[in-house]
Amino acid sequence: MARKSTKANMYDRIYSSVRNDIIGGKYSGGSFLIESDLCEQFGVSRTPVREALIRLAQDNFLELVPNRGAFIPHITINDIIELCDLRGANEGLAAMRCASHASEPLIQSLEASIHREEALLGSEDPDSAKISEEDFFFHALLKKGCGNSRLEHTLDLIDNQMKRFTNISADRLAVSATLPVSLQFHRQALEAIRTGDTFGAQTALIQHWSAMLHGYIERDLSGLLDTRL
């Protein structure tokens, strides 16, 4: 039993490590991962590496190409459209559930996050990465507070895929345009959750991701979508 547990832990560690490297931009779109290199990196045989890569492919972080290795595809504007649509629908449901049974601690945590984001945006030299991190924290609170483990898992997967392009695009343009709009929808969502307005909470999140998608499409049309994607 201990042996099986150790094998499972190694598989999970490789999966998480490679996934985080993809999310963080260590492996950019258009690059390949080679099994033998990963075996050497983690000091393991091919089996746990292969299992981790298969799961990463199933979760749409890479594509397995015969005789070539694991390919990290570029993120296209169509990928972004699909992910924002999924995020809006699923997070809208999470916000609705939060509004239906919101606890005072959740409301206080959401409010505190909004205050921190306001302070970061209002500083003399706004740090786009920190603001984006706080922005994601607000959404993580909604995810944790929804009370549905399967919905939370679905949002985790969507969230991790989206971080590939949200981390790169957290720049000065985001500080001046995208993130202030995001903050407005956070305020709307909080007010709806505070008053138990389930429809209002759901609508705020759906509109939130629709607005974010509009921003990404504008970037793409203007040639400002980062080529590292």
Side-chain angles (χ1 to χ4, degrees), residues 18 22 31-35 38 49-73:
V18 175
I22 294 171
S31 62
F32 275 89
L33 301 179
I34 309 302
E35 277 189 20
L38 293 173
V49 167
R50 190 166 294 152
E51 289 176 349
L53 292 177
I54 289 171
R55 181 178 167 195
L56 286 162
Q58 290 171 341
D59 290 346
N60 293 315
F61 287 105
L62 52 80
E63 298 172 2
L64 297 178
V65 182
N67 303 317
R68 293 291 305 278
F71 177 67
I72 311 297

Side-chain angles (χ1 to χ4, degrees), residues 131-215:
I131 299 167
S132 182
E133 183 180 345
E134 187 61 51
D135 187 280
F136 266 100
F137 181 73
F138 179 90
H139 291 276
L141 289 171
L142 294 179
K143 180 171 60 182
K144 292 288 185 184
C146 75
N148 183 320
S149 61
R150 287 177 173 81
L151 178 57
E152 185 178 342
H153 174 75
T154 299
L155 283 167
D156 271 336
L157 187 58
I158 297 169
D159 192 22
N160 282 326
Q161 290 182 18
M162 291 187 76
K163 281 179 181 176
R164 275 193 68 194
F165 59 86
T166 55
N167 285 343
I168 292 174
S169 60
D171 53 17
R172 293 293 175 183
L173 180 59
V175 169
S176 63
T178 312
L179 290 168
V181 172
S182 178
L183 180 59
Q184 291 177 14
F185 285 109
H186 290 186
R187 294 192 188 106
Q188 290 180 25
L190 171 61
E191 187 55 33
I193 291 170
R194 191 197 308 275
T195 59
D197 179 2
T198 55
F199 178 75
Q202 182 181 35
T203 300
L205 268 298
I206 292 174
Q207 292 179 345
H208 178 299
W209 288 108
S210 177
M212 296 302 100
L213 175 56
H214 179 72

